Amino acid sequence: LKEGQIDLMSKPKKIDNAHEDAIWSVCWANQSHNQHIITGSLDETVKIWSLEGTLNKTLEGYLGVVSVDFNSNSNLIAASSIDSRIRIWDINTKELMHNISALSSETWKITFSPDGSLLASGSRSGNINIWSVTSGRKEHTLEANGKFSMSVAYSPDGKFVACGALDGVVTVFDVATGTKLYSLENGSSMTVRSLTFSPDSSMLLTASDDTFVRIYDVNNMAKETPIAVSGHSSWVLSIACGKNNEYATGSSDKKVKLWDLRKHECNRTFSDHSSQVWGVAFNDDSTRLASVSEDKSLIIYDLLATDES
């Protein structure tokens, strides 16, 4: 498909009014025996959905959910909310394991470390706070250069953790030593809403309010200019990397796009949402993509489906 062409091949499963308010975050819970989709909303709930889009469980007690994540090693769900709390649940028992108050440092986007032992959270100070999943206590703080850290991501190999800030600064740390490796302006001073590493941890992809995706060589960030990719007509709010040299983006232009990571071309464009797309996420084998939006809907795309008509 050419850039901007609407994809008619996939048959999406759309759940309208999946929440009662805007849905700001989505992730997959990939277990050996099952797959679930987890969504977090400003309606103060986290919901667990089946692969078919059936609601299995609603977790309550939040004040506006900003971010959700899942770790398959521990079978734990984490969610951060506007009240500066991080709650960690067991997906099997639905038991609340920790209710962490981050009021002294605050929290925004969160992500588990690959081994599931730690949880990283962005903050209004711009720093990354690292929490122990076992104890629920803050282990340490990584001091970034930027303002409010709007996005945070671990590399799949566990060697790096990165954050993107309100002022466009991208900072990368060495996890083992806590050393700040890079702190760079992301091509502009506009907010980095989302970032993610490639599956082999060699590339860092950032999504920005300036409508660009930028792709960095992690080992040469200070020396090489990132590849800038444009295709959305408004803020790029979310980005996720799949396993088939493909990544997905969601934007304020209401569109979800699939991109070729090597050719830097748009492969497919989906226009099924009626408002800005806050979150996109691939399942474990990248055969399905979930997206969530200000329009309160959850959409599940089967990326292998073909039009039989």
Side-chain angles (χ1 to χ4, degrees), residues 94-242:
K94 310 303 186 292
E95 178 185 359
L96 179 62
M97 308 299 291
H98 295 293
N99 186 351
I100 301 168
S101 174
L103 290 175
S104 60
S105 53
E106 301 186 329
T107 182
W108 198 248
K109 292 293 181 70
I110 56 172
T111 183
F112 280 105
S113 61
D115 66 2
S117 66
L118 299 171
L119 189 74
S121 67
S123 67
R124 291 184 184 275
S125 67
N127 297 330
I128 301 176
N129 296 301
I130 307 296
W131 308 85
S132 166
V133 172
T134 302
S135 68
R137 297 189 180 95
K138 186 164 71 169
E139 294 283 302
H140 56 276
T141 296
L142 301 174
E143 296 184 359
N145 284 1
K147 295 182 179 178
F148 192 159
S149 290
M150 302 291 289
S151 51
V152 63
Y154 273 102
S155 61
D157 63 9
K159 293 181 179 180
F160 309 109
V161 63
C163 63
L166 185 69
D167 57 357
V169 172
V170 175
T171 306
V172 180
F173 294 89
D174 180 287
V175 168
T177 64
T179 303
K180 186 189 300 177
L181 300 176
Y182 309 108
S183 191
L184 306 170
E185 189 173 281
N186 190 48
S188 76
S189 60
M190 299 187 74
T191 302
V192 179
R193 297 276 176 178
S194 182
L195 46 71
T196 187
F197 286 86
S198 60
D200 65 1
S201 302
S202 68
M203 290 177 278
L204 177 65
L205 292 75
T206 66
S208 174
D209 281 4
D210 67 1
T211 75
F212 281 90
V213 168
R214 288 180 175 83
I215 304 170
Y216 293 87
D217 179 339
V218 174
N219 294 312
N220 293 288
M221 286 184 67
K223 298 178 181 179
E224 295 185 4
T225 302
I227 297 167
V229 182
S230 177
H232 286 287
S233 61
S234 187
W235 298 355
V236 189
L237 301 175
S238 51
I239 190 166
C241 208

